[in-house]
Amino acid sequence: MGCCGSAERTKREWRPLEDRSCTDLPWFLLFTVFCVGMGSICGFTIATGGAARLVFGYDSYGNTCGQRNEPIEGVKLSGLDHSDRKFVFFLDPCNIDIVQRKIRSLALCVSLCPPEKMETYQDLKRFAMLNGSELCSYELAGHKYPGLPERFSRCPKLPVPPSKPLPVFNRCTPVDISCYAKFSEAVVTFVGDHSVLHRLIAGVAASKEIIVGLCVLALVLSMILMLIIRYISALLVWILTSLVVLGSLAGTSVLWWLYIDHRLYGNATSSHLREELREEGAELRAEGAELRDSGQALLVYAAAATVFTIILLLLMLFMRKRVALTIALFHVAGKVFLHLPLLALQPCLTFLALLLFWSYWVLVLLFLGTSGNPEQNEDTTLTEFRLTGSLQYLTWYHAVGLVWITEFILACQQMTVAGAVVTYYFTRDKNRLPVAPILSSVLRLVRYHLGTVAKGAFIITLVKIPRLFLMYIHNQLRGKENACARCLLKTCICCLWCLEKCLNYLNQNAYAATAINSTSFCTSARDAFVILVENALRVATINAIGDFVLFLGKVLIVTCTAFCGVLLLNAQRSYAEWLLPLVIVCLFSFLVAHCFLSVFEIVVDVLFLCFAIDTKYNDGTPGREFFMDKALMEFVESSRRLERVAKSGRSRVKEAVSGGAEMKPMAPGTSSA
């Protein structure tokens, strides 16, 4: 199970796609046991009645609505038969505890939700007599409501708003949600005027067809960009490079110009100040000191900008060939999507899997909230169900499962994409690719490499959980901790975030190495790390330039979608109602673009690892032919020509130096006549 326990050869012999074997089997078994534990938590909540209490609802005395109940020790009015009372009714549904996010009101099981507004206790009596649905506490008789002294605390707060039951969850919910204004203000703190909130919500409701259409447009634009980015990548890269260089030169020039202008102005001002110094005194001395400090600051800024520009120009000079490699990789990545079009569906499948898991996780979490032992709240005298003792650890186990299984699903996507790209790269004749390379990659993952994916996801979980815990502590202590503690917490959070990003990148390359050689996670991570270190400058160039090009692609998709949204919304709605629909569209379009272009980024990274392995162990001679695409082959040939030119230049210099050294011992006059 450990990284150090591998018995494989220290020196890796890369044999792409030659044999397959199960990897990290103990981790697969461990992950299976963990998932069984997650399922057991769900079974526990169902067996103990937590699921039934959430779905059918329960009253303030611990009785589940719609069924016969067992009495609870120490709780009056428990153990009632509510077979004919299937709905939960709150006496004061607007009494919301915003901090605890729940309704602080007596809850009863009723047979019918009040469909009309009731303003008097006589109306409550009439409703109980006609429909058999008593809206006051169980110990009060329906025909005596108007005269009972307990009616002020044990009956609904008047007027009773009309309500209807929620689908599935059987809670009586007021038709008019204006009583939730306090909760809305707490959630939407930037809205001071209720009419603004109502107009924004109305704008979303009226523009729902436009919002859906724009979201589909963002999806289509993302797919199109993945196909055409190989044609515009060279243009984007060189435009980016030119803008960075010109921007740095312009910034440096402006700073030097400001400094020279300040010196000229400062000299004139200084002479004028010296003449007036005898009259004014302290104020002019302060002004002169301020001018000197400003000049020194401008000098420091200009010098720093000059150093930065020189370093940037040198980097561009030495990394220009690697920029060409980035362009070639983008070109090949575009071809990969043409040969493997189902890669474009990977974000959709991953999102669907995450959505199903997150829905299940939230549902079980709600089940846990209504599971456990009944306890009577001393403040409200209401009965609540809480997990006590060792059962409290079920929630923590469930929280760890959220992180680990989420990372596992994302890692499965990375392994699937890596397997398909590796198959494409190391198949010399592209016409002999499998019928469904994506499906073949999924089958290889399920059959051989689930343990590797589980181990990689667990490593990310070990880093992410402490970071989330520190973020929770930081939010809880906001405004209470001192500056030193706040700085220390932020530093730890930042370091863990950086470590998580580095491990994510290494894991992705480890999955690609596993897809190539079918080795365990630790062996693959070590081999991939060695390859990446040997090509560190290429990795830095591809990540820096490639990531920025993909970011520009995301901005392009969001901008196009927002522009179309403005045109469509302008034809129907006022300017005040644009805000929320346009924000929703922009957020969704950025999310879609990020998901799709992240797959493109994975493809580029896997292609680079394959390229690095190919160039390291093959040289194009018979028996060691390259696997790479024509675009990458052209890059290799261009690099070799440059190396030959440089080598021939160095050899001529050496010959000239050696020739001079041979002539040097012959002094004048020593030759024979």
Side-chain angles (χ1 to χ4, degrees):
M1 288 172 64
C3 284
C4 300
S6 176
E8 298 177 66
R9 293 184 297 274
T10 303
K11 186 176 181 180
R12 171 66 43 216
E13 294 181 7
W14 294 85
R15 301 180 183 277
L17 307 177
E18 288 191 7
D19 53 2
R20 289 285 133 192
S21 60
C22 291
T23 56
D24 298 297
L25 185 59
W27 281 94
F28 169 69
L29 298 177
L30 178 63
F31 183 73
T32 303
V33 171
F34 183 85
C35 291
V36 170
M38 291 283 290
S40 300
I41 293 177
C42 181
F44 167 79
T45 60
I46 295 174
T48 55
R53 281 189 285 271
L54 176 70
V55 175
F56 300 116
Y58 64 98
D59 61 17
S60 297
Y61 308 106
N63 300 300
T64 303
C65 300
Q67 65 182 40
R68 188 185 299 272
N69 297 276
E70 297 293 332
I72 301 173
E73 184 178 355
V75 180
K76 296 180 180 179
L77 299 177
S78 63
L80 301 179
D81 184 6
H82 286 334
S83 301
D84 57 342
R85 299 178 176 181
K86 299 182 180 181
F87 305 106
V88 180
F89 176 75
F90 296 97
L91 301 190
D92 186 8
C94 299
N95 185 9
I96 300 174
D97 184 355
I98 297 175
V99 177
Q100 299 294 330
R101 296 177 294 277
K102 62 183 180 181
I103 298 176
R104 296 172 58 89
S105 169
L106 186 69
L108 302 173
C109 293
V110 298
S111 57
L112 182 66
C113 298
E116 298 178 354
K117 185 177 181 179
M118 301 181 188
E119 299 183 351
T120 64
Y121 292 105
Q122 194 67 35
D123 294 338
L124 294 179
K125 172 185 174 182
R126 187 181 305 107
F127 182 74
M129 294 296 99
L130 292 176
N131 301 289
S133 182
E134 299 177 348
L135 301 182
C136 295
S137 188
Y138 305 133
E139 71 271 18
L140 304 181
H143 63 280
K144 297 181 180 180
Y145 284 168
L148 293 174
E150 297 90 348
R151 66 183 184 276
F152 299 106
S153 59
R154 294 291 177 178
C155 286
K157 182 180 179 181
L158 297 178
V160 180
S163 60
K164 59 181 180 180
L166 282 175
V168 180
F169 289 100
N170 301 327
R171 267 72 168 178
C172 294
T173 308
V175 176
D176 183 10
I177 60 173
S178 60
C179 69
Y180 297 140
K182 288 185 178 180
F183 185 72
S184 301
E185 290 177 24
V187 175
V188 191
T189 55
F190 65 90
V191 178
D193 186 4
H194 298 312
S195 62
V196 175
L197 177 61
H198 293 159
R199 288 169 65 188
L200 291 175
I201 296 175
V204 173
S207 308
K208 54 182 181 295
E209 294 86 1
I210 296 177
I211 293 174
V212 172
L214 291 173
C215 292
V216 174
L217 175 64
L219 190 68
V220 174
L221 288 177
S222 299
M223 292 184 176
I224 293 175
L225 183 62
M226 292 172 68
L227 295 176
I228 68 171
I229 196 170
R230 69 188 182 112
Y231 300 110
I232 62 174
S233 58
L235 180 63
L236 289 176
V237 167
W238 290 119
I239 288 177
L240 168 64
T241 305
S242 302
L243 288 177
V244 170
V245 173
L246 293 176
S248 60
L249 289 173
T252 305
S253 303
V254 169
L255 286 173
W256 279 114
W257 177 78
L258 290 174
Y259 172 70
I260 294 172
D261 182 70
H262 182 273
R263 284 295 302 269
L264 296 174
Y265 170 76
N267 290 336
T269 306
S270 298
S271 61
H272 180 67
L273 287 175
R274 280 194 296 270
E275 294 176 1
E276 298 182 358
L277 185 60
R278 302 183 187 91
E279 301 176 3
E280 299 292 335
E283 293 183 2
L284 291 177
R285 284 195 198 93
E287 187 175 349
E290 184 179 351
L291 285 172
R292 287 193 299 272
D293 292 342
S294 299
Q296 291 176 357
L298 280 174
L299 178 61
V300 171
Y301 296 154
T306 303
V307 173
F308 173 78
T309 302
I310 292 173
I311 293 174
L312 183 64
L313 291 175
L314 291 175
L315 284 175
M316 291 296 180
L317 179 64
F318 287 111
M319 298 175 69
R320 64 188 187 280
K321 292 188 295 183
R322 296 172 180 85
V323 172
L325 174 60
T326 305
I327 296 172
L329 287 173
F330 270 68
H331 186 80
V332 178
K335 287 186 177 180
V336 171
F337 279 95
L338 287 178
H339 285 87
L340 311 176
L342 291 181
L343 275 179
L345 298 180
Q346 280 299 304
C348 301
L349 298 177
T350 303
F351 178 75
L352 180 62
L354 288 174
L355 187 62
L356 291 175
F357 169 68
W358 288 342
S359 301
Y360 165 81
W361 188 88
V362 171
L363 188 63
V364 175
L365 183 66
L366 295 175
F367 287 170
L368 286 172
T370 54
S371 299
N373 301 317
E375 293 183 357
Q376 200 163 23
N377 192 312
E378 297 179 358
D379 298 331
T380 61
T381 69
L382 306 180
T383 301
E384 300 173 352
F385 291 86
R386 296 178 180 173
L387 296 172
T388 57
S390 58
L391 294 178
Q392 295 177 348
Y393 295 106
L394 292 178
T395 306
W396 289 102
Y397 188 96
H398 196 58
V400 173
L402 171 66
V403 181
W404 192 4
I405 297 178
T406 298
E407 292 297 329
F408 176 82
I409 294 173
L410 294 174
C412 285
Q413 172 185 291
Q414 294 176 352
M415 178 68 88
T416 301
V417 174
V421 175
V422 165
T423 302
Y424 172 85
Y425 187 95
F426 289 107
T427 301
R428 298 186 189 277
D429 185 1
K430 306 306 180 188
N431 295 322
R432 300 182 61 184
L433 284 169
V435 177
I438 302 294
L439 182 59
S440 301
S441 181
V442 171
L443 294 177
R444 284 199 304 270
L445 166 64
V446 174
R447 184 176 179 182
Y448 298 111
H449 305 311
L450 285 178
T452 298
V453 171
K455 187 173 184 178
F458 182 76
I459 292 174
I460 301 298
T461 304
L462 288 180
V463 179
K464 179 166 284 188
I465 287 180
R467 182 173 66 85
L468 295 176
F469 183 70
L470 290 178
M471 291 174 63
Y472 173 78
I473 294 177
H474 181 262
N475 290 330
Q476 292 297 313
L477 298 179
R478 188 181 298 275
K480 300 178 182 178
E481 78 278 20
N482 56 34
C484 182
R486 182 168 59 252
C487 180
L488 183 61
L489 273 175
K490 289 184 177 179
T491 303
C492 293
I493 292 171
C494 182
C495 291
L496 287 173
W497 181 83
C498 294
L499 178 60
E500 181 183 336
K501 293 299 179 183
C502 294
L503 288 176
N504 265 321
Y505 183 72
L506 183 59
N507 279 12
Q508 179 181 303
N509 286 279
Y511 300 146
T514 299
I516 295 172
N517 261 350
S518 191
T519 50
S520 65
F521 176 82
C522 289
T523 303
S524 299
R526 181 192 63 200
D527 296 339
F529 181 76
V530 170
I531 294 292
L532 294 176
V533 169
E534 292 174 350
N535 297 270
L537 288 178
R538 287 176 172 177
V539 171
T541 306
I542 292 169
N543 285 332
I545 298 179
D547 289 351
F548 195 82
V549 169
L550 294 178
F551 173 75
L552 291 179
K554 298 173 188 177
V555 172
L556 177 64
I557 291 172
V558 173
T559 305
C560 293
T561 308
F563 178 72
C564 295
V566 169
L567 294 179
L568 293 174
L569 292 172
N570 185 41
Q572 296 187 7
R573 300 290 151 199
S574 64
Y575 296 133
E577 297 175 3
W578 278 16
L579 179 62
L580 201 53
L582 207 57
V583 168
I584 293 173
V585 167
C586 290
L587 289 177
F588 183 83
S589 60
F590 183 82
L591 176 64
V592 170
H594 175 75
C595 292
F596 278 87
L597 293 181
S598 294
V599 174
F600 191 91
E601 184 180 2
I602 294 173
V603 172
V604 171
D605 290 337
V606 175
L607 283 173
F608 172 72
L609 185 67
C610 296
F611 170 77
I613 294 169
D614 197 9
T615 53
K616 182 177 181 179
Y617 294 97
N618 298 310
D619 56 9
T621 59
R624 298 179 62 184
E625 295 86 357
F626 287 122
F627 289 93
M628 65 185 66
D629 187 84
K630 181 181 178 181
L632 292 173
M633 189 74 74
E634 291 175 355
F635 168 78
V636 171
E637 292 297 330
S638 175
S639 300
R640 287 182 173 180
R641 283 196 300 270
L642 292 175
E643 289 179 2
R644 284 196 295 267
V645 170
K647 187 180 294 184
S648 62
R650 286 194 298 267
S651 63
R652 283 196 295 268
V653 171
K654 288 182 180 179
E655 289 176 0
V657 171
S658 61
E662 291 177 358
M663 295 290 293
K664 189 175 181 180
M666 298 182 65
T670 58
S671 60
S672 58

